[in-house]
Amino acid sequence: MARRDAGRLNGIGFGTWAWGNQLVWGYQPERDDPVLEETFLEAVRSGLRLVDTADSYGTGRLNGRSEALLGRFVQALPATLQRELLVATKLAPFPWRIGRRGLDRAFAASRDRLQGHLERVQLHWSTARYAPWQEVSLLDGLADLVLNGAVRELGVSNMGPRRLEWMQDRLEQRGVRLSSVQVQFSLMAPGDHRLQDLLAICRKQSIEVLAYSPLAFGVLGQPPDAQPRPGTLLRRRLFNRLLPASLPLRQELKGMADRRGVSMVQVALNWCRAHGATPIPGLRSPAQAREAAAALSWELTPEEQDRLDTLRSRCPVRMPANPFESA
C-alpha cells in the first residue's frame, strides 16, 4: 500500500460502538456508565477531539444509548471544550426510511439524544445492494441538512471506491463537500486493492478517511504469548480465529513497540496514520484513551511501515468483511 504524503500528520479520534452494545462488548449500564464517562473525559483531556457514534448503536432496548451517553458527557464539559469537539453520528438507511425526507426524523432524534452537539452527519451504509433507487433521495436529503444549516458537515460510511465516486459527484452537483468516508481499516482488514483505490480517491479529493476497527477488535494489541479470553462469545470466536494467523504480525508489532518504548496499540494506530487514515479506536477505559492519544506523539519510519505492510500481505486470515460495505 502507498505511503502517505510526506509531512502530513493525521489525527486520532475515537468511537463509541461499545457504549450500549451487549452482544459484542457485554455492556452493563450500572457497571460501565461511570467508567465510560471517565473514559470520555480522559480522551478529551488527552487531546482527542473527534468522536464518532451512530443512531443504531446499542443492543435491543438500548438502541441509541451511545448517542445519549455521549450527549450527556459533552453537555457536562465547559463551553470552550464543547466548541473544540467534532461530534459525528451515522444514520442508518433502514428500508422504511424512504425518500428525500426519509432520514429527517432520525436526524432530529439523534440531535436530541446528543443534546444539540452534532457537527457531522454520515450515511451509515449504502442501500445499493437492496434498494438502489432509495439512495439518491436519502443522499439529497442529507445534503439538504447541510445546505439549510441544520448540520455543518456530511460524511459517508462503509463505501467502496465506486460508490464513493458516485456519491462525491452527486454531492458536487448539489454544492456540498463530502468531508469524510468511514471504512474498516487496519493491519488485518480485508480488501487490499479496494482500500488502495479508496485511499487514492480520498487523497485526490481531500476526503478524510476514518479508520474504524483499527485494532481488529483488540487482536492487534495482544502480545505474542497472550492467551486472552474475551467476555462475549462473538469476540472469543474471533480471537480463536485471528490470533494464530496474526502471530508473525503481532511479533513484529511487539518488537517495534519494545524498541520504541511504546505499546503495540500505538504501533497499530500509527500504521493507519502512515497510510493517510485517521483511526477511531473504540474506547472503553481511561487507560485506552491515554494509549490512543500517546500515538500522536510519534510516527513510523518508512522502513517500519514497509515491514508491517509485508507481514500484513502474508497474513492468511483477516477480519470479516462488513456485510454492509458497498463496492
Side-chain angles (χ1 to χ4, degrees):
M1 300 179 75
R3 293 195 185 97
R4 61 170 170 75
D5 297 334
R8 180 181 175 193
L9 187 65
N10 298 277
I12 294 175
F14 62 103
T16 62
W17 176 37
W19 300 11
N21 187 294
Q22 295 176 318
L23 184 63
V24 178
W25 299 103
Y27 169 79
Q28 296 180 26
E30 298 79 9
R31 179 196 66 192
D32 294 337
D33 285 359
V35 178
L36 294 176
E37 183 169 16
E38 184 55 37
T39 299
F40 172 80
L41 291 173
E42 186 62 35
V44 174
R45 284 193 293 259
S46 299
L48 304 184
R49 291 294 182 264
L50 186 153
V51 53
D52 177 77
T53 185
D55 71 338
S56 60
Y57 285 177
T59 303
R61 63 181 177 81
L62 296 172
N63 196 59
R65 182 75 170 191
S66 172
E67 288 182 328
L69 287 172
L70 181 56
R72 191 178 87 201
F73 299 162
V74 176
Q75 186 64 23
L77 291 175
T80 52
L81 279 179
Q82 290 180 16
R83 289 192 291 269
E84 290 180 10
L85 289 181
L86 196 163
V87 177
T89 198
K90 299 182 291 294
L91 303 181
F94 295 128
W96 55 87
R97 293 176 173 175
I98 299 171
R100 190 160 178 159
R101 305 272 66 86
L103 292 171
D104 284 2
R105 289 178 62 184
F107 173 78
S110 288
R111 187 169 53 184
D112 286 347
R113 285 190 291 268
L114 290 165
Q115 301 192 39
H117 303 290
L118 177 56
E119 285 69 47
R120 181 183 297 169
V121 66
Q122 304 160 97
L123 185 66
H124 202 153
W125 62 80
S126 170
T127 67
R129 292 185 177 179
Y130 60 90
W133 59 87
Q134 182 176 328
E135 193 158 60
V136 67
S137 296
L138 294 178
L139 193 64
D140 280 347
L142 292 179
D144 290 342
L145 294 175
V146 176
L147 292 170
N148 67 26
V151 70
R152 194 176 75 208
E153 298 179 7
L154 176 59
V156 295
S157 179
N158 291 307
M159 302 296 167
R162 291 204 303 271
R163 208 64 186 163
L164 180 65
E165 286 193 306
W166 175 84
M167 290 189 164
Q168 170 76 355
D169 290 343
R170 180 68 187 183
L171 291 171
E172 281 186 353
Q173 294 172 24
R174 299 291 317 281
V176 174
R177 178 181 175 273
L178 184 60
S179 295
S180 63
V181 59
Q182 189 173 146
V183 292
Q184 182 182 179
F185 191 80
S186 76
L187 278 161
M188 297 198 71
D192 290 6
H193 294 302
R194 181 185 53 79
L195 287 173
Q196 289 177 12
D197 292 345
L198 186 84
L199 288 170
I201 293 167
C202 291
R203 282 193 296 268
K204 182 179 178 181
Q205 300 290 342
S206 297
I207 300 169
E208 184 176 23
V209 178
L210 300 180
Y212 72 75
S213 297
L215 302 174
F217 280 39
V219 169
L220 293 171
Q222 297 298 322
D225 59 351
Q227 295 182 327
R229 184 171 174 77
T232 64
L233 178 61
L234 284 177
R235 287 191 74 219
R236 285 198 296 272
R237 286 178 174 173
L238 188 69
F239 272 48
N240 288 340
R241 182 170 175 262
L242 294 183
L243 284 175
S246 65
L247 181 58
L249 183 56
R250 289 185 294 114
Q251 288 172 332
E252 186 64 29
L253 285 171
K254 183 67 165 62
M256 288 183 183
D258 288 348
R259 288 190 292 273
R260 285 183 169 272
V262 299
S263 69
M264 293 171 63
V265 164
Q266 290 185 47
V267 178
L269 293 178
N270 272 329
W271 178 86
C272 295
R273 296 173 74 212
H275 283 288
T278 299
I280 49 171
L283 300 182
R284 293 182 297 135
S285 73
Q288 290 176 345
R290 290 189 292 271
E291 198 69 65
L296 287 166
S297 64
W298 63 275
E299 297 180 82
L300 290 174
T301 66
E303 293 75 22
E304 288 172 326
Q305 181 183 335
D306 287 344
R307 178 62 180 158
L308 291 175
D309 285 349
T310 298
L311 289 171
R312 166 185 161 80
S313 70
R314 295 173 182 171
C315 191
V317 180
R318 302 282 186 87
M319 283 280 288
N322 190 321
F324 291 103
E325 203 159 282
S326 67

PDB file of all heavy atoms in Angstrom, residues 243-263:
ATOM      1  N   LEU A 243      -5.999 -14.929  16.229  1.00  0.00           N
ATOM      2  CA  LEU A 243      -4.735 -14.909  16.969  1.00  0.00           C
ATOM      3  C   LEU A 243      -3.665 -15.807  16.342  1.00  0.00           C
ATOM      4  O   LEU A 243      -2.519 -15.365  16.155  1.00  0.00           O
ATOM      5  CB  LEU A 243      -4.975 -15.277  18.436  1.00  0.00           C
ATOM      6  CG  LEU A 243      -5.589 -14.178  19.313  1.00  0.00           C
ATOM      7  CD1 LEU A 243      -5.885 -14.716  20.701  1.00  0.00           C
ATOM      8  CD2 LEU A 243      -4.677 -12.964  19.409  1.00  0.00           C
ATOM      9  N   PRO A 244      -3.963 -17.058  15.991  1.00  0.00           N
ATOM     10  CA  PRO A 244      -2.902 -17.885  15.372  1.00  0.00           C
ATOM     11  C   PRO A 244      -2.421 -17.308  14.040  1.00  0.00           C
ATOM     12  O   PRO A 244      -1.217 -17.279  13.769  1.00  0.00           O
ATOM     13  CB  PRO A 244      -3.573 -19.241  15.181  1.00  0.00           C
ATOM     14  CG  PRO A 244      -4.701 -19.259  16.142  1.00  0.00           C
ATOM     15  CD  PRO A 244      -5.196 -17.847  16.219  1.00  0.00           C
ATOM     16  N   ALA A 245      -3.341 -16.835  13.208  1.00  0.00           N
ATOM     17  CA  ALA A 245      -2.968 -16.325  11.888  1.00  0.00           C
ATOM     18  C   ALA A 245      -2.156 -15.045  11.974  1.00  0.00           C
ATOM     19  O   ALA A 245      -1.327 -14.762  11.101  1.00  0.00           O
ATOM     20  CB  ALA A 245      -4.232 -16.082  11.049  1.00  0.00           C
ATOM     21  N   SER A 246      -2.362 -14.263  13.029  1.00  0.00           N
ATOM     22  CA  SER A 246      -1.693 -12.958  13.142  1.00  0.00           C
ATOM     23  C   SER A 246      -0.403 -13.013  13.951  1.00  0.00           C
ATOM     24  O   SER A 246       0.201 -11.965  14.216  1.00  0.00           O
ATOM     25  CB  SER A 246      -2.642 -11.949  13.800  1.00  0.00           C
ATOM     26  OG  SER A 246      -2.935 -12.320  15.147  1.00  0.00           O
ATOM     27  N   LEU A 247       0.047 -14.197  14.336  1.00  0.00           N
ATOM     28  CA  LEU A 247       1.206 -14.289  15.231  1.00  0.00           C
ATOM     29  C   LEU A 247       2.448 -13.597  14.674  1.00  0.00           C
ATOM     30  O   LEU A 247       3.064 -12.780  15.377  1.00  0.00           O
ATOM     31  CB  LEU A 247       1.505 -15.753  15.554  1.00  0.00           C
ATOM     32  CG  LEU A 247       2.684 -15.984  16.514  1.00  0.00           C
ATOM     33  CD1 LEU A 247       2.464 -15.267  17.835  1.00  0.00           C
ATOM     34  CD2 LEU A 247       2.905 -17.481  16.729  1.00  0.00           C
ATOM     35  N   PRO A 248       2.891 -13.835  13.425  1.00  0.00           N
ATOM     36  CA  PRO A 248       4.083 -13.123  12.933  1.00  0.00           C
ATOM     37  C   PRO A 248       3.893 -11.603  12.936  1.00  0.00           C
ATOM     38  O   PRO A 248       4.826 -10.860  13.264  1.00  0.00           O
ATOM     39  CB  PRO A 248       4.251 -13.665  11.512  1.00  0.00           C
ATOM     40  CG  PRO A 248       3.575 -14.988  11.515  1.00  0.00           C
ATOM     41  CD  PRO A 248       2.399 -14.831  12.435  1.00  0.00           C
ATOM     42  N   LEU A 249       2.705 -11.164  12.598  1.00  0.00           N
ATOM     43  CA  LEU A 249       2.425  -9.733  12.599  1.00  0.00           C
ATOM     44  C   LEU A 249       2.495  -9.166  14.010  1.00  0.00           C
ATOM     45  O   LEU A 249       3.112  -8.115  14.245  1.00  0.00           O
ATOM     46  CB  LEU A 249       1.038  -9.493  11.990  1.00  0.00           C
ATOM     47  CG  LEU A 249       0.568  -8.052  11.822  1.00  0.00           C
ATOM     48  CD1 LEU A 249       1.538  -7.234  11.007  1.00  0.00           C
ATOM     49  CD2 LEU A 249      -0.820  -8.040  11.182  1.00  0.00           C
ATOM     50  N   ARG A 250       1.925  -9.872  14.971  1.00  0.00           N
ATOM     51  CA  ARG A 250       1.953  -9.384  16.350  1.00  0.00           C
ATOM     52  C   ARG A 250       3.353  -9.467  16.956  1.00  0.00           C
ATOM     53  O   ARG A 250       3.726  -8.647  17.799  1.00  0.00           O
ATOM     54  CB  ARG A 250       0.936 -10.160  17.192  1.00  0.00           C
ATOM     55  CG  ARG A 250      -0.507  -9.802  16.831  1.00  0.00           C
ATOM     56  CD  ARG A 250      -1.540 -10.469  17.729  1.00  0.00           C
ATOM     57  NE  ARG A 250      -1.556 -11.910  17.572  1.00  0.00           N
ATOM     58  CZ  ARG A 250      -1.209 -12.770  18.508  1.00  0.00           C
ATOM     59  NH1 ARG A 250      -0.815 -12.337  19.704  1.00  0.00           N
ATOM     60  NH2 ARG A 250      -1.250 -14.084  18.281  1.00  0.00           N
ATOM     61  N   GLN A 251       4.145 -10.428  16.516  1.00  0.00           N
ATOM     62  CA  GLN A 251       5.534 -10.477  16.976  1.00  0.00           C
ATOM     63  C   GLN A 251       6.297  -9.237  16.513  1.00  0.00           C
ATOM     64  O   GLN A 251       7.081  -8.650  17.274  1.00  0.00           O
ATOM     65  CB  GLN A 251       6.207 -11.750  16.446  1.00  0.00           C
ATOM     66  CG  GLN A 251       5.726 -13.023  17.129  1.00  0.00           C
ATOM     67  CD  GLN A 251       6.254 -14.282  16.469  1.00  0.00           C
ATOM     68  OE1 GLN A 251       6.535 -14.305  15.258  1.00  0.00           O
ATOM     69  NE2 GLN A 251       6.403 -15.355  17.249  1.00  0.00           N
ATOM     70  N   GLU A 252       6.060  -8.824  15.278  1.00  0.00           N
ATOM     71  CA  GLU A 252       6.716  -7.620  14.767  1.00  0.00           C
ATOM     72  C   GLU A 252       6.204  -6.370  15.473  1.00  0.00           C
ATOM     73  O   GLU A 252       6.986  -5.468  15.800  1.00  0.00           O
ATOM     74  CB  GLU A 252       6.508  -7.505  13.262  1.00  0.00           C
ATOM     75  CG  GLU A 252       7.275  -6.358  12.613  1.00  0.00           C
ATOM     76  CD  GLU A 252       8.772  -6.528  12.712  1.00  0.00           C
ATOM     77  OE1 GLU A 252       9.257  -7.681  12.762  1.00  0.00           O
ATOM     78  OE2 GLU A 252       9.473  -5.486  12.750  1.00  0.00           O
ATOM     79  N   LEU A 253       4.903  -6.293  15.695  1.00  0.00           N
ATOM     80  CA  LEU A 253       4.340  -5.157  16.438  1.00  0.00           C
ATOM     81  C   LEU A 253       4.975  -5.061  17.822  1.00  0.00           C
ATOM     82  O   LEU A 253       5.327  -3.963  18.281  1.00  0.00           O
ATOM     83  CB  LEU A 253       2.824  -5.315  16.573  1.00  0.00           C
ATOM     84  CG  LEU A 253       1.963  -5.043  15.341  1.00  0.00           C
ATOM     85  CD1 LEU A 253       0.515  -5.463  15.607  1.00  0.00           C
ATOM     86  CD2 LEU A 253       2.013  -3.572  14.960  1.00  0.00           C
ATOM     87  N   LYS A 254       5.131  -6.199  18.485  1.00  0.00           N
ATOM     88  CA  LYS A 254       5.722  -6.208  19.831  1.00  0.00           C
ATOM     89  C   LYS A 254       7.174  -5.765  19.764  1.00  0.00           C
ATOM     90  O   LYS A 254       7.635  -4.972  20.613  1.00  0.00           O
ATOM     91  CB  LYS A 254       5.630  -7.608  20.419  1.00  0.00           C
ATOM     92  CG  LYS A 254       6.147  -7.724  21.864  1.00  0.00           C
ATOM     93  CD  LYS A 254       5.260  -6.956  22.820  1.00  0.00           C
ATOM     94  CE  LYS A 254       5.512  -7.343  24.275  1.00  0.00           C
ATOM     95  NZ  LYS A 254       6.870  -7.069  24.756  1.00  0.00           N
ATOM     96  N   GLY A 255       7.922  -6.240  18.772  1.00  0.00           N
ATOM     97  CA  GLY A 255       9.319  -5.836  18.658  1.00  0.00           C
ATOM     98  C   GLY A 255       9.460  -4.346  18.405  1.00  0.00           C
ATOM     99  O   GLY A 255      10.301  -3.674  19.027  1.00  0.00           O
ATOM    100  N   MET A 256       8.660  -3.804  17.495  1.00  0.00           N
ATOM    101  CA  MET A 256       8.703  -2.356  17.229  1.00  0.00           C
ATOM    102  C   MET A 256       8.324  -1.561  18.476  1.00  0.00           C
ATOM    103  O   MET A 256       8.949  -0.542  18.795  1.00  0.00           O
ATOM    104  CB  MET A 256       7.757  -2.006  16.092  1.00  0.00           C
ATOM    105  CG  MET A 256       8.218  -2.447  14.720  1.00  0.00           C
ATOM    106  SD  MET A 256       7.049  -1.883  13.447  1.00  0.00           S
ATOM    107  CE  MET A 256       7.810  -2.630  11.987  1.00  0.00           C
ATOM    108  N   ALA A 257       7.290  -2.024  19.161  1.00  0.00           N
ATOM    109  CA  ALA A 257       6.843  -1.321  20.361  1.00  0.00           C
ATOM    110  C   ALA A 257       7.930  -1.319  21.430  1.00  0.00           C
ATOM    111  O   ALA A 257       8.210  -0.285  22.053  1.00  0.00           O
ATOM    112  CB  ALA A 257       5.564  -1.973  20.897  1.00  0.00           C
ATOM    113  N   ASP A 258       8.578  -2.468  21.643  1.00  0.00           N
ATOM    114  CA  ASP A 258       9.623  -2.550  22.671  1.00  0.00           C
ATOM    115  C   ASP A 258      10.808  -1.668  22.325  1.00  0.00           C
ATOM    116  O   ASP A 258      11.390  -1.006  23.208  1.00  0.00           O
ATOM    117  CB  ASP A 258      10.072  -4.005  22.835  1.00  0.00           C
ATOM    118  CG  ASP A 258       9.019  -4.870  23.521  1.00  0.00           C
ATOM    119  OD1 ASP A 258       8.049  -4.303  24.062  1.00  0.00           O
ATOM    120  OD2 ASP A 258       9.169  -6.109  23.501  1.00  0.00           O
ATOM    121  N   ARG A 259      11.191  -1.642  21.061  1.00  0.00           N
ATOM    122  CA  ARG A 259      12.337  -0.820  20.669  1.00  0.00           C
ATOM    123  C   ARG A 259      12.065   0.671  20.873  1.00  0.00           C
ATOM    124  O   ARG A 259      12.985   1.435  21.166  1.00  0.00           O
ATOM    125  CB  ARG A 259      12.723  -1.103  19.215  1.00  0.00           C
ATOM    126  CG  ARG A 259      13.370  -2.462  19.006  1.00  0.00           C
ATOM    127  CD  ARG A 259      13.953  -2.620  17.613  1.00  0.00           C
ATOM    128  NE  ARG A 259      12.933  -2.673  16.569  1.00  0.00           N
ATOM    129  CZ  ARG A 259      12.320  -3.797  16.184  1.00  0.00           C
ATOM    130  NH1 ARG A 259      12.604  -4.946  16.779  1.00  0.00           N
ATOM    131  NH2 ARG A 259      11.430  -3.765  15.207  1.00  0.00           N
ATOM    132  N   ARG A 260      10.835   1.077  20.729  1.00  0.00           N
ATOM    133  CA  ARG A 260      10.471   2.485  20.876  1.00  0.00           C
ATOM    134  C   ARG A 260      10.030   2.839  22.297  1.00  0.00           C
ATOM    135  O   ARG A 260       9.884   4.013  22.625  1.00  0.00           O
ATOM    136  CB  ARG A 260       9.329   2.841  19.920  1.00  0.00           C
ATOM    137  CG  ARG A 260       9.757   2.977  18.464  1.00  0.00           C
ATOM    138  CD  ARG A 260       8.571   3.403  17.619  1.00  0.00           C
ATOM    139  NE  ARG A 260       8.965   3.787  16.267  1.00  0.00           N
ATOM    140  CZ  ARG A 260       9.340   5.001  15.913  1.00  0.00           C
ATOM    141  NH1 ARG A 260       9.419   5.960  16.835  1.00  0.00           N
ATOM    142  NH2 ARG A 260       9.674   5.270  14.665  1.00  0.00           N
ATOM    143  N   GLY A 261       9.762   1.832  23.100  1.00  0.00           N
ATOM    144  CA  GLY A 261       9.236   2.094  24.432  1.00  0.00           C
ATOM    145  C   GLY A 261       7.787   2.536  24.407  1.00  0.00           C
ATOM    146  O   GLY A 261       7.355   3.348  25.239  1.00  0.00           O
ATOM    147  N   VAL A 262       7.019   2.002  23.451  1.00  0.00           N
ATOM    148  CA  VAL A 262       5.601   2.323  23.337  1.00  0.00           C
ATOM    149  C   VAL A 262       4.807   1.016  23.388  1.00  0.00           C
ATOM    150  O   VAL A 262       5.347  -0.022  23.758  1.00  0.00           O
ATOM    151  CB  VAL A 262       5.314   3.104  22.029  1.00  0.00           C
ATOM    152  CG1 VAL A 262       6.070   4.425  22.017  1.00  0.00           C
ATOM    153  CG2 VAL A 262       5.666   2.272  20.792  1.00  0.00           C
ATOM    154  N   SER A 263       3.541   1.065  23.033  1.00  0.00           N
ATOM    155  CA  SER A 263       2.705  -0.135  23.073  1.00  0.00           C
ATOM    156  C   SER A 263       2.415  -0.637  21.667  1.00  0.00           C
ATOM    157  O   SER A 263       2.529   0.094  20.687  1.00  0.00           O
ATOM    158  CB  SER A 263       1.380   0.161  23.788  1.00  0.00           C
ATOM    159  OG  SER A 263       0.595   1.037  22.997  1.00  0.00           O
TER     160      SER A 263
END
